[in-house]
Amino acid sequence: MLRALDAVSAGRAEDAALSVRDLTVRFRLRGGRSVAAVSDAGFDLGAGECLALVGESGCGKSVLASALLGLLPANAETSGTALLAGAGGQDGTDLLAADEKTLARTVRGRRVGLVPQSPAAHLTPVRTVRSQLEETVRALAGTSRRARRKAAEDAADRAAFPAGHLDRYPHELSGGLAQRAATALALIGDARLLLADEPTTGLDRDLVDRTVDELRRHADDGRALLLITHDLAAAARIADRVAVMYAGRIVEIAPAQRFFGPSGPRHPYARGLLDALPDRAFTPIPGMPPELSALPEGCAFAPRCPLATELCATRPEFTANLACHHPERPRA
């Protein structure tokens, strides 16, 4: 069964909507220092697939998403490639090499949608939610006013945003409502790739389930979904595969059924994330993640890992979807 799941993932990689290789992000600081926010990240995301990127806060998940859309600050340096597949036989676009004009006019909102982690920063404060949704439809499709109104209401319904709040301004919304408004804005363009960065922030459990189910439907229609989340229950609900990030580096990629199933993940950090859940061992991972400005030369997780040995003073290579000198054995 597990080999079959790996084969399915490999098949999706061949039809990748997004192929990321060696994505690295460094932030230059005063005094010549730098922060290694993302290091050598690589993955394929297939059409019709949901890949959940999980890990503790500050591990680099949101920086990775921002890099894909060219939304990093001026002191950021990026390298690697992130090839976004073209439509209808057209050439793909390397998101990391594309200039701002290309990203603004042909990528953001059209080919790649974003559910932002901080929705208030992405909503225009002087315009109602309805006007922002309708303006987005006008910019993307140029439809009639009546069609724009219906499209805005349909997107709001998909995001569980109450119709009675469409004529409100962002400052009149709660955090949860602002999150749903931002989700509606991301869904309205029906982009072939959707980046959802903590899309369930501020939502109660019922709305979390409804929101991620709608995102899953977006993928099931043949689009690709990168779900960035610390909510492992949401990831378990809709993900096809799970990528685990620690201290700026992806340390394991596994089929979701294996990751959340009886055999479990193989990286000790990934095991620790699951064991910290209340419905599992409810045992937190000891210690704290390292500072990204002072990463060790070897395995960054070694100081917190119960399996660490002297071998962990050298950095493990990412091979066969795993970066670990002492991978866990599958559980019974």
Side-chain angles (χ1 to χ4, degrees):
M1 180 64 178
L2 295 180
R3 290 179 181 175
L5 289 171
D6 286 334
V8 169
S9 296
R12 283 179 173 143
E14 293 179 0
D15 187 31
L18 176 69
S19 293
V20 176
R21 295 290 182 271
D22 301 319
L23 171 54
T24 296
V25 180
R26 297 285 186 272
F27 292 110
R28 301 184 308 275
L29 305 178
R30 291 180 179 178
R33 296 185 302 119
S34 66
V35 172
V38 179
S39 298
D40 303 318
F43 58 87
D44 292 300
L45 178 56
E49 181 184 24
C50 171
L51 174 66
L53 183 61
V54 304
E56 292 168 295
S57 296
C59 70
K61 303 187 302 296
S62 295
V63 172
L64 187 151
S66 297
L68 295 176
L69 285 174
L71 297 176
L72 294 173
N75 67 327
E77 296 178 341
T78 62
S79 61
T81 61
L83 186 63
L84 178 67
Q90 296 180 344
D91 291 338
T93 301
D94 184 352
L95 298 176
L96 302 185
D99 57 27
E100 174 59 25
K101 181 178 179 180
T102 299
L103 292 171
R105 294 188 178 183
T106 68
V107 175
R108 298 187 197 120
R110 290 172 170 79
R111 297 168 64 192
V112 182
L114 172 67
V115 182
Q117 185 177 31
S118 302
H122 289 256
L123 296 173
T124 304
V126 296
R127 302 186 65 182
T128 66
V129 175
R130 184 192 301 277
S131 68
Q132 294 182 60
L133 288 168
E134 291 186 3
E135 173 61 21
T136 301
V137 176
R138 187 196 67 78
L140 295 176
T143 56
S144 67
R145 185 168 184 176
R146 178 177 295 180
R148 292 198 298 269
R149 186 176 184 87
K150 183 178 187 306
E153 292 173 351
D154 288 347
D157 181 65
R158 290 171 65 189
F161 186 88
H165 290 60
L166 278 169
D167 294 312
R168 295 190 178 186
Y169 293 89
H171 73 271
E172 298 177 300
L173 305 177
S174 66
L177 282 173
Q179 183 68 57
R180 282 179 270 169
T183 301
L185 280 168
L187 291 172
I188 203 167
D190 285 329
R192 291 168 58 85
L193 170 63
L194 185 63
L195 308 181
D197 189 1
E198 302 289 1
T200 59
T201 300
L203 305 182
D204 61 36
R205 197 71 239 172
D206 288 343
L207 282 174
V208 167
D209 292 345
R210 177 169 174 176
T211 298
V212 297
D213 286 349
E214 183 57 48
L215 295 176
R216 177 71 245 189
R217 280 189 285 273
H218 186 84
D220 288 340
D221 287 339
R223 304 177 186 93
L225 171 62
L226 178 60
L227 174 67
I228 297 171
T229 186
H230 65 272
D231 187 340
L232 292 178
R237 187 176 179 91
I238 69 167
D240 296 296
R241 290 185 297 148
V242 179
V244 182
M245 202 165 192
Y246 185 78
R249 191 182 186 203
I250 293 177
V251 296
E252 182 172 8
I253 300 177
Q257 187 167 341
R258 172 194 293 169
F259 188 91
F260 294 107
S263 61
R266 301 190 65 201
H267 197 283
Y269 173 65
R271 287 281 180 97
L273 287 178
L274 289 180
D275 287 342
L277 295 176
D279 60 345
R280 300 215 180 196
F282 205 24
T283 303
I285 301 173
M288 296 292 292
E291 293 290 337
L292 295 179
S293 59
L295 292 175
E297 292 185 4
C299 174
F301 186 61
R304 307 173 71 188
C305 182
L307 303 179
T309 66
E310 293 181 358
L311 181 61
C312 301
T314 61
R315 179 176 172 176
E317 295 296 326
F318 188 81
T319 57
N321 290 321
L322 185 68
C324 184
H325 291 301
H326 306 292
E328 299 266 12
R329 295 179 180 271
R331 289 171 174 164

